[in-house]
């Protein structure tokens, strides 16, 4: 067998391993992150904010949920820097440690009744660590898979790790749903801790899998061409600020409705329509299962119809569906609330199936980790982070749930603007003239063919 064929077989094997490693790691980290999202709606208002008005307790619980999103841009900066300096793989090992240990520690925090104000303080600190980890994980897992795949399959390869979001949600919802079935007060006494402590087992599994993956060909070419940026975050902010902004608008349109469909809807339905916690958690589990199927499906379709085109279609569908969603929820009929959440996953998956490749292709390989991280994690503050609080406030201020439909429409319009303006710079060529600073973009093989 020739050395060429041997290398091709080896590359295919490593591509499969990278796909499994990036996806499994994403599942583990989003299990931890989604676990907190569900807990903030179902568990934490009772255990960590028990002496306040139910409305205030909900706001405070969602506020601690939002701190994780506030920290995600910090993670994007830190791991964007190291991901473009030392490689995708090494950065992702660290994010996995951060997520696993912080989640397990949450399962050990005493309740408010035991240590008072220190309980929510510790919760916030650990949530900040989670946010930093996820802020660095998202782009890294996408690039680890996409950069090992073929160019004609970039949409599909990038979407698979993104489906780890759904798989992580599915796993966390299933575990919480199982623990809720514990009799009496067992769940709120000790049963809720089990899903968080289980993070340690997932952490070990994820580290074993990721340790067997090689660095991506794109980053190795950057290293071989001596084109590694000394300050990639500053470089990408200086050279491609509009790309970061447009990516942020697309992410805003994708993630804001999703936070409404899941985190906010669970709490709103429980408090206003007498829907049981287990009923909504099980609905969230079914929605997560849909993500596992439809995100890769739409990622595959994005390679056929065009990544940007599919993204626009998903945003337009979300704009229209937002008002139908509100109409179904406002009936208060449990079956229609479930239907609203489940159908919402379709336009969301259209967006999120295309977004990973769209955001990654918006930047040249040498600055791709930093650019994709900043472009998707900065809007996390205004999307998933504060969306549940904004919805709670809007209903309180306007007296109608229809204000949520307008909220979804506004972010969708912004997303359509971002998608139309975003450029594909993955094939960008540039040169470094003599005497320029070393942080300038170099002409490298991966910038010619990403």
């Amino acid at each position: 067998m020739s050395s060429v064929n041997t290398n091709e077989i080896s590359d295919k094997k490593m591509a499969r391993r990278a796909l499994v490693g990036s996806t499994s790691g994403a599942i583990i980290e989003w299990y931890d992150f989604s676990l907190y999202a569900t807990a903030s709606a179902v568990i934490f208002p009772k255990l960590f904010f028990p002496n306040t008005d139910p409305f205030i307790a909900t706001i405070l619980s969602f506020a601690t949920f939002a701190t994780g999103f506030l920290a995600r841009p910090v993670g994007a900066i830190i791991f964007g820097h190291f991901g473009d300096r030392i490689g995708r793989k090494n950065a992702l090992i660290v994010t996995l440690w951060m997520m696993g240990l912080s989640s397990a520690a949450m399962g050990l925090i005493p309740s408010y009744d035991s240590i008072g104000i220190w309980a929510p303080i510790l919760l916030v600190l650990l949530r900040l660590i989670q946010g930093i980890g996820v802020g660095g994980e998202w782009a890294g897992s996408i690039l680890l898979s996409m950069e090992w795949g073929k160019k004609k399959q970039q949409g599909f390869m990038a979407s698979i790790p993104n489906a780890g979001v759904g798989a992580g949600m599915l796993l966390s919802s299933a575990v919480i749903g199982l623990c809720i079935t514990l009799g009496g007060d067992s769940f709120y006494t000790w049963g809720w801790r089990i899903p968080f402590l289980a993070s340690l087992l997932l952490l070990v599994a994820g580290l074993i899998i990721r340790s067997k993956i090689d660095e991506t060909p794109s980053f190795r070419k950057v290293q071989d061409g001596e084109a590694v940026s000394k300050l990639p975050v500053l470089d990408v902010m200086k050279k491609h600020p509009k790309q970061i902004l447009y990516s942020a608008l697309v992410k805003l349109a994708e993630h804001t409705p999703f936070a409404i469909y899941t985190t906010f809807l669970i709490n709103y339905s429980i408090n206003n329509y007498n829907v049981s916690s287990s009923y909504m958690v099980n609905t969230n589990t079914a929605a997560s299962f849909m993500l596992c199927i439809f995100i890769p499906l739409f990622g595959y379709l994005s390679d056929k119809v065009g990544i940007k085109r599919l993204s626009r279609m998903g945003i337009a569908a979300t704009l229209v569906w937002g008002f139908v969603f509100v109409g179904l929820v406002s009936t208060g009929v449990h079956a229609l609330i479930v239907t609203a959440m489940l159908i919402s996953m379709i336009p969301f998956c259209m967006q999120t199936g295309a977004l990973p490749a769209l955001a990654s292709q918006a930047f040249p390989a040498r600055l791709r980790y930093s650019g994709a991280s900043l472009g998707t994690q900065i809007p996390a503050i205004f999307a998933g982070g504060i969306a549940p609080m904004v919805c709670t406030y809007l209903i309180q201020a306007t007296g109608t749930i229809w204000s949520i439909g307008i909220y979804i429409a506004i972010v969708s319009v912004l997303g359509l603007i971002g998608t139309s303006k975003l450029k594909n710079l993955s094939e960008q060529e540039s040169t470094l003239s003599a005497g320029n600073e070393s942080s300038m973009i170099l002409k490298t093989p991966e910038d010619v063919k990403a």
Side-chain angles (χ1 to χ4, degrees), residues 59-112:
I59 289 291
L60 290 175
S61 183
F62 282 153
T64 63
F65 170 68
T67 57
F69 288 87
L70 290 172
R72 284 170 67 171
V74 178
I77 293 171
I78 295 173
F79 291 101
H81 172 81
F82 288 109
D84 283 328
R85 286 284 297 163
I86 64 175
R88 299 19 173 157
K89 171 188 173 180
N90 293 325
L92 289 174
I93 293 293
V94 179
T95 64
L96 201 56
W97 273 107
M98 293 179 67
M99 289 296 295
L101 293 180
S102 60
S103 292
M106 285 180 183
L108 299 174
I109 298 178
S111 67
Y112 185 92

Side-chain angles (χ1 to χ4, degrees), residues 272-308:
N272 292 275
Y273 299 128
N274 296 318
V275 183
S276 68
S277 299
S278 60
Y279 188 80
M280 290 307 299
V281 169
N282 290 335
T283 300
N284 204 36
T285 301
S288 302
F289 181 75
M290 292 178 65
L291 299 187
C292 298
I293 297 174
F294 285 104
I295 290 177
L297 174 61
F298 284 117
Y300 173 81
L301 291 176
S302 72
D303 289 321
K304 306 299 180 182
V305 304
I307 294 171
K308 179 178 285 192

Side-chain angles (χ1 to χ4, degrees), residues 23-36 38 161-175 202 284-285 288-289 291-292:
T23 304
S24 61
I27 291 172
I28 294 167
E29 298 208 24
W30 283 101
Y31 165 83
D32 294 330
F33 205 71
S34 300
L35 196 60
Y36 193 103
T38 303
N162 211 30
V165 177
M169 286 180 57
L170 175 63
L171 186 59
S172 65
S173 294
V175 173
L202 297 176
N284 204 36
T285 301
S288 302
F289 181 75
L291 299 187
C292 298

Side-chain angles (χ1 to χ4, degrees), residues 331-445:
T331 64
V333 178
H334 295 187
L336 292 181
I337 293 174
V338 170
T339 300
M341 178 189 281
L342 297 182
I343 295 179
S344 297
M345 296 302 105
I346 303 300
F348 169 74
C349 288
M350 292 176 68
Q351 292 187 64
T352 202
L355 178 62
L358 185 69
S360 299
Q361 291 177 349
F363 304 94
R366 67 188 296 272
L367 303 174
R368 189 171 290 156
Y369 203 131
S370 299
S373 293
L374 291 174
T376 56
Q377 301 310 309
I378 290 177
I381 300 174
F382 308 101
I386 67 172
M389 288 191 295
V390 171
C391 291
T392 303
Y393 171 78
L394 285 175
I395 294 176
Q396 187 82 358
T398 65
T400 174
I401 193 176
W402 286 100
S403 56
I404 307 303
I406 297 175
Y407 183 27
I408 294 174
I410 291 173
V411 296
S412 296
V413 170
L414 293 176
L416 289 172
I417 294 173
T419 306
S420 65
K421 297 288 186 179
L422 201 62
K423 298 178 181 178
N424 184 343
L425 300 184
S426 63
E427 298 182 356
Q428 182 192 69
E429 281 189 0
S430 54
T431 58
L432 178 66
S433 58
N436 281 355
E437 294 180 358
S438 60
S439 63
M440 295 293 285
I441 296 178
L442 304 178
K443 181 178 180 181
T444 58

Side-chain angles (χ1 to χ4, degrees), residues 88 142-149 215-219 365 368:
R88 299 19 173 157
I142 297 302
L143 297 184
L144 192 64
S145 177
M146 190 186 82
E147 291 182 348
W148 267 110
E215 190 50 73
T216 70
S218 292
F219 185 74
R368 189 171 290 156

